[in-house]
Amino acid sequence: MLLMAKSCSHWWHAPVYFTVSIALAFIAISTPLHSDLKNASSPPPHNSITHHLLSNASRALRRSGFTVTATLLQVSPELFLTSHEVHSTIFAIKDSAISNFSLLPPWLLKHLFQYHTSPSKISMRDLLEKSPGSCLSTLLENKKLEITKIDPKQRSVEINHVLVSHPDVFLGGPISVHGVLGPFSPLNSQNFQESQWGFIQTPICGSNSRNFLDWPEIIRILTSNGFVSFAVGLHTVLGGVPQDFTNLSSVTVFAPPDLALAASPSPLLDRIVRFHILPRRFSYIELATLPQKSKIGTLLPDRDIEVTGRLKNFSRVLAVNGVEVLVPDVFSSKKFIIHGLSRAFKLGELPNAF
């Protein structure tokens, strides 16, 4: 009986991974076809040594639970290798964060995995020795990654604000593989054509190109759109936020209509305000297309928000920590976006992250 209950509790995995497998097979078929049509260059070399390394990397990924990327390494290795670059670092996305990507077109999936591959071998030790704000090149043309956080004591690294959860899954020859908690850029398949691949949001990295957030402008827009109490609260605690997050290039602000203690400078107010801000820009559609119960880090350490959907008047609405996103995309720019909530989050509504 216990075994049956355990099996039934995971019944939904089968259709999810079946559809993902179909998409992956489509990538494997379509990628060489597009390559042949668009570029006459020869495919990446797959000699016996390379094949042996990829097989070992695939097995290591499978043992660590990254089944989708492990399968891709076997059926479509050209996604991670080029004819021009011998070295490669692959950032494998957690399977649960990929489950809904089967709905995306193959060309978009192809760009996604290329954006998670760097044409150089980078170990976790190499990542820890870099500076926050450093850029990493990828196989997707003109698209870079940014090292947004490094904690030498915890030996942890975040790239595009996504944690490298499984460092050094595989290190062999010219290939490095690391596991990450989620995609480096939110994706949405609506209204995209194959020629339009600018949908991947890339950070502005490098010390010479850093564009800092205009917090006074965010406060002004919050005020002009009726979120006065939250604007006052943000202004009250603003002194500490830029100091603690010097590498922020974009944010998502969840603005409640009313915020208690807005004019009282206190540690509690500081925590509440930070809990309503994400260190990354998410449009309403991007949030809505995330896997159910996805968790996203906030400016409050060790506290994530949880994105869910629920039924209201027979239609599906987006909820964050159980709070409805009542006015999506109140204001949107390249650096920040504001969503209006039906009420404020409560710090006790979400358990500690992971």
Side-chain angles (χ1 to χ4, degrees):
M1 181 66 70
L2 180 62
L3 180 60
M4 182 180 295
K6 184 176 181 181
S7 299
C8 292
S9 66
H10 298 283
W11 64 270
W12 57 272
H13 284 282
V16 168
Y17 286 109
F18 178 73
T19 53
V20 170
S21 298
I22 293 176
L24 296 181
F26 197 179
I27 293 177
I29 295 172
S30 62
T31 297
L33 289 177
H34 287 302
S35 298
D36 291 341
L37 291 174
K38 294 181 179 180
N39 195 337
S41 62
S42 59
H46 296 303
N47 54 39
S48 59
I49 298 177
T50 303
H51 178 76
H52 177 72
L53 287 172
L54 292 176
S55 296
N56 288 343
S58 179
R59 283 193 291 268
L61 281 166
R62 205 174 298 276
R63 286 194 300 267
S64 297
F66 295 88
T67 313
V68 174
T69 305
T71 302
L72 268 177
L73 267 178
Q74 291 180 320
V75 302
S76 193
E78 62 272 12
L79 287 177
F80 309 99
L81 300 174
T82 71
S83 58
H84 309 293
E85 299 289 346
V86 177
H87 297 85
S88 182
T89 295
I90 301 167
F91 296 99
I93 308 170
K94 187 178 179 181
D95 278 4
S96 60
I98 296 181
S99 59
N100 70 332
F101 285 179
S102 58
L103 303 176
L104 302 175
W107 64 265
L108 192 125
L109 282 170
K110 174 185 174 182
H111 289 164
L112 169 72
F113 289 108
Q114 288 178 331
Y115 186 55
H116 286 72
T117 305
S118 179
S120 58
K121 183 180 180 181
I122 309 169
S123 66
M124 186 61 176
R125 180 178 178 179
D126 296 329
L127 289 173
L128 288 168
E129 290 177 351
K130 293 183 179 294
S131 301
S134 299
C135 300
L136 299 177
S137 59
T138 72
L139 294 187
L140 194 56
E141 186 180 2
N142 297 325
K143 299 292 183 178
K144 295 184 181 294
L145 302 171
E146 179 188 16
I147 299 178
T148 48
K149 184 177 180 180
I150 297 176
D151 189 335
K153 292 183 179 179
Q154 298 293 328
R155 295 189 62 79
S156 65
V157 173
E158 291 185 8
I159 298 174
N160 286 18
H161 301 288
V162 177
L163 179 67
V164 179
S165 57
H166 293 66
D168 297 341
V169 170
F170 177 80
L171 296 175
I175 299 174
S176 297
V177 181
H178 309 285
V180 295
L181 285 181
F184 289 146
S185 175
L187 293 179
N188 173 41
S189 61
Q190 297 183 7
N191 302 323
F192 286 123
Q193 299 175 3
E194 187 164 357
S195 60
Q196 298 174 328
W197 50 270
F199 62 89
I200 288 187
Q201 296 180 17
T202 59
I204 303 172
C205 54
S207 57
N208 294 327
S209 59
R210 168 67 57 194
N211 285 335
F212 294 100
L213 286 168
D214 188 350
W215 290 103
E217 177 69 5
I218 296 177
I219 293 172
R220 185 192 67 79
I221 292 173
L222 283 167
T223 303
S224 64
N225 282 276
F227 302 100
V228 178
S229 61
F230 188 78
V232 172
L234 178 57
H235 181 269
T236 303
V237 303
L238 191 56
V241 173
Q243 294 177 5
D244 295 342
F245 298 91
T246 57
N247 293 314
L248 277 180
S249 59
S250 64
V251 293
T252 299
V253 178
F254 292 104
D258 184 51
L259 188 67
L261 306 174
S264 304
S266 67
L268 178 59
L269 176 61
D270 183 78
R271 287 170 59 82
I272 292 174
V273 170
R274 291 177 187 233
F275 193 33
H276 286 74
I277 303 175
L278 309 181
R280 184 171 166 186
R281 185 187 177 283
F282 284 95
S283 69
Y284 181 83
I285 291 179
E286 290 164 346
L287 289 169
T289 54
L290 290 172
Q292 183 78 343
K293 295 186 177 181
S294 292
K295 292 180 173 62
I296 308 174
T298 68
L299 295 191
L300 182 60
D302 301 322
R303 286 284 182 171
D304 292 0
I305 56 100
E306 184 176 83
V307 181
T308 58
R310 60 185 179 86
L311 292 177
K312 181 181 180 182
N313 298 330
F314 303 102
S315 61
R316 190 174 181 85
V317 299
L318 181 69
V320 179
N321 284 12
V323 179
E324 182 181 350
V325 178
L326 199 60
V327 190
D329 300 342
V330 172
F331 182 87
S332 178
S333 71
K334 290 184 178 180
K335 294 184 182 181
F336 65 92
I337 190 167
I338 299 172
H339 305 295
L341 299 175
S342 60
R343 63 175 174 84
F345 299 147
K346 295 180 180 178
L347 286 175
E349 286 178 341
L350 191 66
N352 287 337
F354 302 176

